[in-house]
Amino acid sequence: AVAKYRWAALLERRLELSEVRLVSPRIQLVRRQDGQWNVAGLFRKREADRPLALPFPVSLSADEIVIEDGTLTLNDLLRRRLVTVRAFHLRLRDFSPTTPFPFNLSFETDGNLTGKQVALKAEATGSLALASYRWPEAWLEAERIKLSAAGAAATASAVLRNFAAPSVDLKLKLPRLSS
């Protein structure tokens, strides 16, 4: 892991990073049976009229945040599902909790397609807005999504609104099916 920061900004209670790079991390996201995620403690609630905040009293921004060749495990104990994502790559540019920023994402995983186990690959580019951690106002727009499995490819675009109660608009373009 590499993190490069600007000293002068710390004096003003701002954590300004020029680069955060994680190489081959193993990330586990767990939703417990009570519906809470293991990462929920990273954000603390403030008064009702103020947004969620990080558990330290500084503002956070970064020119670039990169995860290279990670493994991401989603363990949903509530729904009894376990998904492991390999070759997880994520790049966030101009990261800010207050303004939208671009992202690039790609990963591979295994799935079941017409009863057969197949390797699935996904790539996406778009924009993300954390809305100062006010989750009902947060959104993600993937302008380009590419999915491939078993020699077939599909493209899509999607908008995810309201991280507290997600709503998704998806446009999917599938290849012509043959019999």
Side-chain angles (χ1 to χ4, degrees):
V2 173
K4 297 178 183 176
Y5 55 92
R6 297 181 182 97
W7 281 100
L10 288 176
L11 298 174
E12 298 173 7
R13 301 187 82 149
R14 291 190 332 264
L15 183 55
E16 291 182 4
L17 303 165
S18 57
E19 177 184 21
V20 175
R21 184 173 302 275
L22 301 174
V23 180
S24 301
R26 295 170 110 13
I27 302 166
Q28 287 199 356
L29 299 176
V30 179
R31 180 162 59 169
R32 298 185 303 258
Q33 292 193 347
D34 66 2
Q36 293 294 311
W37 289 90
N38 64 326
V39 294
L42 293 176
F43 305 96
R44 61 183 163 95
K45 290 191 179 200
R46 301 176 115 186
E47 293 91 45
D49 62 335
R50 297 180 71 193
L52 291 174
L54 294 173
F56 43 88
V58 296
S59 64
L60 174 65
S61 65
D63 294 340
E64 184 172 62
I65 298 175
V66 177
I67 296 175
E68 296 177 356
D69 197 29
T71 301
L72 175 64
T73 301
L74 301 168
N75 189 356
D76 188 341
L77 300 175
L78 184 64
R79 293 208 170 102
R80 297 181 183 180
R81 291 190 181 152
L82 178 67
V83 176
T84 299
V85 172
R86 320 177 288 286
F88 180 77
H89 298 272
L90 175 65
R91 179 176 307 263
L92 308 175
R93 293 191 189 274
D94 302 320
F95 172 85
S96 169
T98 59
T99 58
F101 52 88
F103 74 88
N104 291 19
L105 169 72
S106 65
F107 62 86
E108 298 175 8
T109 190
D110 295 319
N112 189 322
L113 187 64
T114 64
K116 296 179 184 177
Q117 283 294 110
V118 295
L120 305 170
K121 293 183 181 182
E123 299 174 16
T125 59
S127 299
L128 174 61
L130 298 178
S132 298
Y133 307 113
R134 291 186 299 264
W135 299 131
E137 299 171 29
W139 55 265
L140 178 141
E141 182 176 355
E143 291 107 17
R144 186 184 68 78
I145 302 171
K146 181 179 176 186
L147 306 167
S148 59
T155 58
S157 62
V159 176
L160 175 96
R161 293 181 188 82
N162 186 353
F163 286 15
S167 165
V168 178
D169 293 326
L170 175 68
K171 293 180 183 176
L172 184 62
K173 189 174 193 179
L174 297 170
R176 187 176 307 259
L177 298 175
S178 58
S179 54

